[in-house]
Amino acid sequence: MTIHPSILAADFANLERELHRIAAADLVHVDVMDAHFVPNLTLGLPVVQRLAEVSPIPLDAHLMIEDPDRWAPDYAAAGASSVTFHVEAAKDPVATARAIRARGARAGLALKPGTPAEPWLERLDEFDLILVMTVEPGFGGQQFMPEVMPKLRQVADAAAAHGRDLRIQVDGGISTTTIGTAAAHGANTFVAGSSVFRSDDPARAIRALRKAAAHGH
Ligand code: DX5
Ligand code: ZN
């Protein structure tokens, strides 16, 4: 079970300092938005590269961009240990996942709340991580959507049936009140933006999330 604070909720004028505030987490989740795939705009390759150089913990890049087939492998080369792209934006998700793996990173496939998992359940071997979005991507601080729990369960069951140790990630509205529900439906990696960075004591917030997730399991 891993906790990934999202720097979308961090102080963008002090990212290196913010990374050290969450050093007790497992990975740092970096939301890359291009103002096309989602309406919001955040940061890109040069920033990810510098974050990877200074971060005390590995980077989990979440690409909310168009044409991930072209760009995702570059995020692996920039030093992200895990690179997740959206299936809705990709032309050839399997080829893109293979290109990410070839550059030494874990390959993740993200599904928006309305995107079905079925077509991918037989191809789970091509991915290291499946991200089941629990909000519409684009903004932090939104409400967790319990209606995606059946899909989460479906992915977790398929991974278990294939004997795969898959990372099953949830992202959006994760707090101590929602993380247990996601854990109970099979999630094992948890992204949390506001609930970690908006806390006075992020290390304590991370511990509280771990404890609440363990209760859900
Ligand atoms: C939303 C992003 C999330 C976001 C989560 O599009 O993918 O990673 O930062 O933020 P919270 O935890 O505040 O919902
Ligand atoms: Zn994200």
Side-chain angles (χ1 to χ4, degrees):
M1 194 248 286
T2 57
I3 305 287
H4 305 205
S6 163
I7 57 160
L8 190 59
D11 174 2
F12 275 96
N14 293 288
L15 286 178
E16 185 172 9
R17 193 180 72 197
E18 292 285 74
L19 288 170
H20 287 277
R21 287 175 77 215
I22 54 143
D26 300 285
L27 285 89
V28 56
H29 184 83
V30 180
D31 286 308
V32 176
M33 305 188 188
D34 66 352
H36 289 272
F37 179 71
V38 289
N40 202 359
L41 178 67
T42 56
L43 48 85
L45 266 175
V47 178
V48 167
Q49 193 168 355
R50 278 298 290 145
L51 291 174
E53 285 165 9
V54 303
S55 179
I57 55 176
L59 264 61
D60 165 36
H62 175 196
L63 308 183
M64 286 159 276
I65 61 171
E66 288 188 349
D67 203 6
D69 311 85
R70 160 71 182 85
W71 294 105
D74 288 355
Y75 283 86
S81 80
S82 151
V83 178
T84 300
F85 59 94
H86 272 268
V87 64
E88 303 86 3
K91 286 184 197 71
D92 191 343
V94 168
T96 299
R98 289 179 181 171
I100 292 169
R101 283 176 163 178
R103 282 160 187 76
R106 292 195 185 90
L109 189 70
L111 311 171
K112 295 207 278 186
T115 303
E118 276 91 359
W120 305 100
L121 299 179
E122 295 300 318
R123 308 301 307 271
L124 292 179
D125 53 312
E126 297 285 353
F127 304 96
D128 303 295
L129 181 152
I130 301 291
L131 167 52
V132 175
M133 290 299 300
T134 43
V135 296
E136 285 300 336
F139 300 92
Q142 303 182 77
Q143 282 252 314
F144 177 80
M145 296 170 66
E147 55 269 43
V148 305
M149 292 302 101
K151 179 167 71 179
L152 183 58
R153 181 82 267 163
Q154 208 183 9
V155 173
D157 286 348
H162 290 97
R164 282 230 45 214
D165 180 21
L166 188 73
R167 283 155 206 249
I168 303 172
Q169 186 172 78
V170 283
D171 180 10
I174 299 296
S175 68
T176 49
T177 52
T178 57
I179 196 168
T181 304
H185 288 85
N188 54 30
T189 105
F190 306 90
V191 176
S194 334
S195 67
V196 171
F197 277 107
R198 300 281 145 86
S199 154
D200 293 339
D201 186 348
R204 194 180 57 203
I206 291 163
R207 277 197 304 276
L209 286 169
R210 288 193 200 285
K211 205 171 149 204
H215 271 295
H217 266 297

